[in-house]
Each structure stands twice: as C-alpha cells, then as structure tokens.
Amino acid sequence: MIYNHYNCAPIPEQIVDLASLPTGARGVVRSLRGGRGFLSRLATMGFTAGTEVTVLQNYGHGPIITLVRGTRVALGRGEARHILVSVVR
Amino acid sequence: MAQPTLTGLSCHTNGAQQVQAIQLREGALHIALAGQPNVGKSTVFNMLTGLNQHVGNWPGKTIEQKVGTIHLPDIDILLVDLPGTYSLTANSPEECIARDYIIREQPDAIIVIVNAAALEHSLYLVAELLQLSRPIVLGLNMLDVAEQNGLQIEPHVLEAALGIPVIPLVATRNQGVRELLEAARRVATHPEQFKPNRPSIRSSHAEVLDQVRGLIAEFVPEPYPVDWVALKLLEGDSEITAMMREATPAEIWEKVEAILRAHEDAFLDIVGGRYEWIERMVRAAVVRPSTGPITLTDRLDRIATHPLWGLIVLSGIFALVFWLTYAVATPLQSWLDSAIVQPLITGIQSVLAGAPGWLVGLLTEGVLGGVGTVITFLPILILFFAMLGLLEDVGYLARAAFVMDRFMHLMGLHGKSFLPLFLGFGCNVPAVMGTRIIEDQRVRLMTIILSPLVPCAARLAVVAFLAPAFFGPHATIATWGLVTFNILVLGVLGALIHRLLAADSDSPFIMELPLYHLPNARTIGLFVWHNTLAFLRKAGTIILIFSVLIWALSVLPSGEVEQSILAWLGRALTPIGRWMGWTDWRLITALLSSFAAKENTIVTLGILYRGEGMDLAQRVSSTLSPAGALAFLVVQMLFIPCAATTAIIRQEGGAWKWGAISVGLLLIVSLVAGMLVYQAAALLGLGV
C-alpha cells in the first residue's frame, strides 16, 4: 500500500499490463496469466510476483525490452500483456 | 496404464556409450559442466579442453553433445558439457537431457558457470541443481563485464552464503579457469566436505511437500532422489508426473493426485521461493550502484533494437557478409581450383597416360571432380561460420532475432526462427539443426520446412558461376534479384501455410538479450573448426560418391554421354523443361543431380558439356535463351533440398514424412515459379 504524503490517505495501486508501461517506467509484478508452459517460462526468466521490472524499450508497437533481476529480457507484445504489474511512482 | 507420449520431450537419455570410447587412466574423474545460455560456458569448456573434444549427439537425440578430456599429471578428467538451460523443468529436450544426465550418470562433481553481470538470473539454475545433491562448484564468469556495468561482486561473500566454492573467472582471458578445475577436483574427491546451503520451499507449501514425499517415498525408482521427485510433482512437471503415475500403485497415486490438484498454484510459489533464496544469497555479495550507469549495451541497443535503425544495421551486416563472400571467398575458391585441383588432374592424366580411358575418366572426372568441389567450397563455408560465430559471440544475434520478430510472425514464425534461417545462407543442414533453439514444436517444424528456401552457399556458388555468362554486366543485379525472389517465396509460402493451417496458434516470444562483450577468438575458431569438420565428413562421402555415380551414369552403358542413362532420364523429362524454355536435356539432368548436393549442378554440367571448347558457363549459356536462362536459375535456387538436408529434416522433424513433405512442396514451388518467371519474362520481351 502506498500512502499520500499530504493527508496520509492510501493511494489506490494502479494495476496495468506490462505492455502499457512506457520506456523508463517501472512496475512490480502482481500476477501472470496464461497456460502452464508459458507461466513456467516467464517465472524461470525471473518474472515472479513481487519482482520489480524496468521497461527499457517500448515504442508502442512491436516487442518490448525489460530489465528483470539484472537481465535484459525481450518480450513479444502479446506476452507482455499477460504480465500484470503495479506502477512504481 | 498407457504411457503418455511426450513428443520430442522424452527424457530418457544416457551419455555412457559415447563416453566409453574415450581412453582414460584408472581413477579418472567425471565432471559435468552446466550453465544457462549466454554465461560463457562454451568458452570455459574450450579453455579447459582445447582440441581434446569429441563432438557428437546425445544418444537418441539431435542435440549436440560435447565431451572433452583433460590430462593432468596425476589424474584424467572427463568433462561433459551439458546443454545450456535456464532451469531443470521438462519444458525443453535440453533441460531433460541436463537433469537426466546428472541423475543417471551421477557425475563426481558439477561445475556451474554463472554470469556475474546477471547474477540473480543465472543463479536460478544453481538453485535447481543444488536440489539434485551432487557436489557443485560455481564459476563466477564475466566479472569484467559486471564491473563495466557498475556491479561490485565479492566472490568470498557469495561463497560463504552459498556454502559452495565460488571461483572468480574471466574465461575470455583464461583467468581462473585452472583454479576452477582444481576446486571441482577437490569437491569431487572429498564429497563429504560439501555442505551447501540448499534452497527450501516456502512455509505455505512445506507441509504439502511432506505429505507428497511420505506417500511416494518407497515407490521412487532408483537413482531418483525422493525429495527432488516430490518437489517436481508439486511443480507439475509433466515428465516426473508420468514416471510416478507408472511407478506408484493406483490407490496411492489417487491420493497424490488429489493433493496436487488442490495445490495447482504451488509451481509459481516454488519458483518465487527459489528467487527469494537467491536474493538472500546475493544481498551481501553484490554492491549495486544507486542509479544504473548508461552502459555500452544501452548505447548500442538504442540503434540495434530500434524498429527502423535496427533493420538498417541488420541489412548492413547482411550486405557485408555477401560482400566478403564475393570479395574474399570467391577469388580464394578459384585460386584453390587453379592451384590444386587442375594440377592434380593434369598430373594424373600424365601418370596414367597408358591406362584405359575409363580409369582416367573415373579418377579425373569422377573422383577429382568431387574432391575439387569439396575443396573449393571450403572458403565460403569457413567465412560464413566465422561471421556467424562472431555475431553470436558478441551478442548481436539475439538483437537480430528481436528486430525480425514482427516479420517472422507474419509467417507464423518466431523472432528466433530468423537465426536458423540466417544460418541457411551458409548451408541448409546447420539451418535445420539450428531450429533447436525454438521451443515451440509447431513453429520449429514450420521453420524446418521453410529453411531450404533460403539459398545456401552452394546454390549461390552455382549462380555466381553461371550468372556472369548468362547476364553479362547485369550478373550482380540478377543475383540479388534471385536471392530476393527466394526470400519472397519463403515469406509468401510461410504466410499461406500459417493462414491455412495454424492461424489461431502463436508461440510465446520470451528471449534473453545478453550484454554485448568482446568476442573470443578461440571460441569462434573452434566453432568454425567443428562445423567445417562436420561439413567435410558429410561432403567427403555424399558429394564424392555422387560425383562418381553421376560420372558412371553419364558413361554407362556405351561409354558415350549422348547414349547414357543420365541422358535418357534428361530426355524423358524434356517435355517438362519446354514449359520453362529449355530444349537441352542436359540442363534437366544437371538439375536432377543437384539432389545429392547443390554444387553438383556445376559438376554435372561440367561432365555433360565436356570437350566443347569455350568456358563451361559460356557453353551452357549458348544453349539457352535469356528467359530460359533466368528460369533455369530460378528453379535451381528453389529446387528440392539436397539429400543431406532432406536427411536432416527427417532427423529433426522426427519422421520421414517431413523430408517427403519438404521435397514435394519445393518440387511444386520451384517448377511453378520457373514457369511463371519464364512466361513473364517472355511477355516482357526478354527474349525466348
């Protein structure tokens, strides 16, 4: 939970899919969607719940590049949509 | 109960057969080398074993197996290079091989190479390996790259946390490699001193794991570790589940299955738990800068992975490879021919001056014709393998896959399909073998079927040989046009197959982009050496046998080429040739002969058009109209895959069906394309 500086009211977490994060933005993985084999590949590449992901390249079309656990991982746009993250401010 | 079939994923392998062929002294140690892709594992392997390597396939598998020997003064060491894998699940054949090998062969120690610049990520494999309870030493590689990226890593802190020996390495400069081997030797000879800190399961699933372990403990087949099997069941591992379903009595298996069903979420929890353990392990050992520096990789990727600039860079690299082929390899090729092959032929002719004509013919035209082809083909192949090894070693090939992904998807392929297809420009055989990097079986088969449409160096050599005579000053443009036409056909055919057969399925694109780093000459050199050797073995047999066979078919039964079996075949097929403007049966015969090896088109033309004065290409050209000549090269470029490629397609596809489909498909495509091009050229008034 994140709290507002001025009145200490909680700011609702903004959950988006990874493909909609712009270049340079960061998010914390909340959940993964998809079949078992796909989840297994994502998870072993480091996308587990609670992991911080930085978007290194996102031109709004085509695949994106992320930095996860110190490794650059390229993801197809469709694949990135299956990763839900909360936006890090 | 029926055994569930796991297409291409059967895990049962055994590396012992190959290993026995190597001579080792009594008491030799057996060490396995493991690591994720892009950690510099092959460089470490090459540094340790040099040319003492045996390259083969894993038994019953199409995946390359490298075994090396190290002879120390007092002991011999057998080093087995396991396939590079991210984890030890049953997701890919490579992962199955790696874990089965460790479980069944019980190596005395395992050396795991990790990338210091991507430490958390590459320790994942270590977390999995530690659960297999073999002694492990860790090679902390690429410390120089980590430093360039602003990471400070303290090996002894990591060693203290993990409880396993950690050896700092810069493998490309041969630093730490000997120490790594010494450490592996110590744990191998004193396994009782190996007391690692093993990852444990999160408390939320610890109880469930205990229950599963309790139920299956007495039924786990030797030599599988019970703890590991229980963990893999909870992870939902398809292969281990199948094995235990078979091994466990039905009433107990029902209980196990009920537990597993109730905890289907366990998998993500177990992976998450491993990563938490890794975070604890590296916390004290890694000093990270607060803000990441702008690294070389960041700077290069701004261009190399840019949607537009990335494509321009890629085509620039392509252009460079082709330019080098024509500027360096082709002159070298003709020099080899005039300096080695021709003097040999003249020599044999003078030595055998009194011998029967058929013997001289067999040796000079059959045998030396084939040998000459093989020798003169080498410069192109070596150049291609060197370029490919270089691009791979500096980390560029993954970027090429990244920028090509969009285009590959249009054909139902994958960014990774681009790499094997690129290999196809050298030779279609490694291209088909290279499709192993694609995890998705459907995409892999599509890539295999389409890869013979990439014009290999042999076909390009045929075109390079004939085009100047056919098109004069326009030869370069014509060659470019022919290559582009092949790529277009590949694209259209891929898109068609995708639309018709599998429009609904798409394979996930998840790929690591390694950090750029300086290439290692030894790694590239050995890559070139092994691939060239593999080609020579193939070429040395198939091309030579075929050269002799074609020569025999061209003189039997009467000794006259005009009445030979080959001529008869070519004449019988002339009606088909007419559709493409060919009236000479020898062209069809030459095309047919390219089934054994693509360069045989030239070999056969050389034999069939012998003794007519003029240069060979000129002689062929004189029998063809411009439109017919163009059609001939189009068909030659698209024609059925060579025998070796067909055999490899069968091997990699897993059934002769795939070889047959490939041959049939390309036969139709090449003939239709040849006819269309001829008719179009005729319409445009190119001259028939």
Side-chain angles (χ1 to χ4, degrees), chain B residues 56-180:
Chain B
N57 276 357
W58 287 90
K61 283 288 185 304
T62 52
I63 293 158
E64 191 179 75
Q65 182 196 42
K66 285 193 285 187
V67 177
T69 49
I70 305 158
H71 303 283
L72 298 179
D74 53 335
I75 200 161
D76 285 349
I77 294 172
L78 180 77
L79 191 68
V80 177
D81 190 23
L82 298 176
T85 61
Y86 287 107
S87 67
L88 293 180
T89 54
N91 278 340
S92 73
E94 283 84 357
E95 293 176 325
C96 286
I97 287 173
R99 71 187 202 183
D100 265 26
Y101 187 80
I102 295 165
I103 291 170
R104 286 154 189 264
E105 299 299 319
Q106 301 271 314
D108 298 311
I110 304 171
I111 296 175
V112 200
I113 306 300
V114 298
N115 179 354
L119 190 57
E120 278 186 37
H121 198 267
S122 49
L123 278 174
Y124 188 81
L125 182 66
V126 179
E128 284 234 63
L129 284 169
L130 278 169
Q131 281 157 335
L132 282 174
S133 57
R134 297 308 306 157
I136 290 175
V137 293
L138 199 142
L140 185 60
N141 196 21
M142 300 194 173
L143 274 170
D144 53 337
V145 182
E147 222 158 275
Q148 285 156 21
N149 285 273
L151 289 172
Q152 290 285 330
I153 297 172
E154 301 191 40
H156 60 277
V157 179
L158 190 63
E159 179 169 295
L162 288 165
I164 64 180
V166 173
I167 312 298
L169 282 180
V170 180
T172 47
R173 278 188 255 133
N174 208 358
Q175 289 171 11
V177 176
R178 283 286 141 198
E179 292 82 347
L180 181 69

Side-chain angles (χ1 to χ4, degrees), chain B residues 242-530:
Chain B
M243 179 185 88
M244 288 313 294
R245 187 187 294 133
E246 195 79 350
T248 316
E251 67 276 12
I252 294 178
W253 183 249
E254 266 171 37
K255 287 184 204 164
V256 176
E257 249 184 351
I259 296 174
L260 296 180
R261 257 199 308 277
H263 296 276
E264 276 186 330
D265 62 324
F267 169 70
L268 287 176
D269 210 39
I270 293 171
V271 178
R274 287 198 187 108
Y275 269 117
E276 276 166 21
W277 175 82
I278 290 168
E279 283 166 24
R280 282 201 304 278
M281 294 297 110
V282 302
R283 195 167 295 149
V286 180
V287 182
R288 233 174 252 283
S290 51
T291 51
I294 304 296
T295 62
L296 176 71
T297 297
D298 289 323
R299 275 198 296 269
L300 289 176
D301 270 354
R302 254 176 229 162
I303 296 165
T305 60
H306 187 275
L308 177 66
W309 300 123
L311 284 176
I312 293 174
V313 169
L314 185 62
S315 24
I317 288 172
F318 259 128
L320 187 72
V321 173
F322 284 118
W323 176 79
L324 272 174
T325 309
Y326 285 103
V328 180
T330 313
L332 207 61
Q333 207 172 14
S334 39
W335 177 81
L336 279 172
D337 188 54
S338 59
I340 295 177
V341 182
Q342 293 310 325
L344 262 176
I345 292 178
T346 326
I348 288 182
Q349 277 165 344
S350 63
V351 168
L352 295 179
W358 65 265
L359 183 64
V360 181
L362 173 70
L363 286 177
T364 58
E365 285 163 30
V367 177
L368 272 177
V371 172
T373 311
V374 175
I375 293 175
T376 57
F377 195 52
L378 280 180
I380 287 182
L381 262 186
I382 290 173
L383 189 92
F384 266 107
F385 285 132
M387 293 297 288
L388 192 75
L390 178 72
L391 292 176
E392 164 80 37
D393 202 39
V394 297
Y396 178 72
L397 272 191
R399 271 75 186 181
F402 178 81
V403 294
M404 289 311 287
D405 189 58
R406 280 180 292 164
F407 307 99
M408 294 288 133
H409 256 94
L410 296 176
M411 296 177 261
L413 301 182
H414 189 285
K416 282 189 184 172
S417 306
F418 177 74
L419 310 184
L421 290 177
F422 180 86
L423 277 169
F425 280 100
C427 176
N428 288 173
V429 173
V432 174
M433 291 165 76
T435 60
R436 290 167 189 172
I437 58 168
I438 304 162
E439 289 91 358
D440 186 293
Q441 204 62 18
R442 186 191 61 80
V443 175
R444 186 169 172 222
L445 277 171
M446 275 280 282
T447 313
I448 289 175
I449 291 298
L450 291 174
S451 54
L453 283 167
V454 177
C456 62
R459 270 178 281 173
L460 292 172
V462 173
V463 170
F465 182 80
L466 292 175
F470 284 5
F471 309 110
H474 308 300
T476 313
I477 294 169
T479 308
W480 254 113
L482 285 163
V483 174
T484 311
F485 187 69
N486 262 52
I487 305 296
L488 268 177
V489 171
L490 192 156
V492 170
L493 202 63
L496 270 179
I497 297 176
H498 183 50
R499 288 285 137 72
L500 294 176
L501 299 181
D504 52 329
S505 52
D506 257 325
S507 79
F509 178 65
I510 309 168
M511 191 177 61
E512 182 188 347
L513 298 181
L515 294 169
Y516 290 103
H517 53 87
L518 287 174
N520 179 251
R522 192 158 167 178
T523 302
I524 299 171
L526 280 162
F527 176 79
V528 172
W529 169 254
H530 288 308

Side-chain angles (χ1 to χ4, degrees), chain A residues 36 40 44 57 69 72 74, chain B residues 91 235 279 298 305 511 513:
Chain A
R36 178 158 213 113
S40 161
T44 51
Q57 179 181 313
R69 298 185 187 278
R72 282 166 174 74
Chain B
N91 278 340
E235 279 183 39
E279 283 166 24
D298 289 323
T305 60
M511 191 177 61
L513 298 181

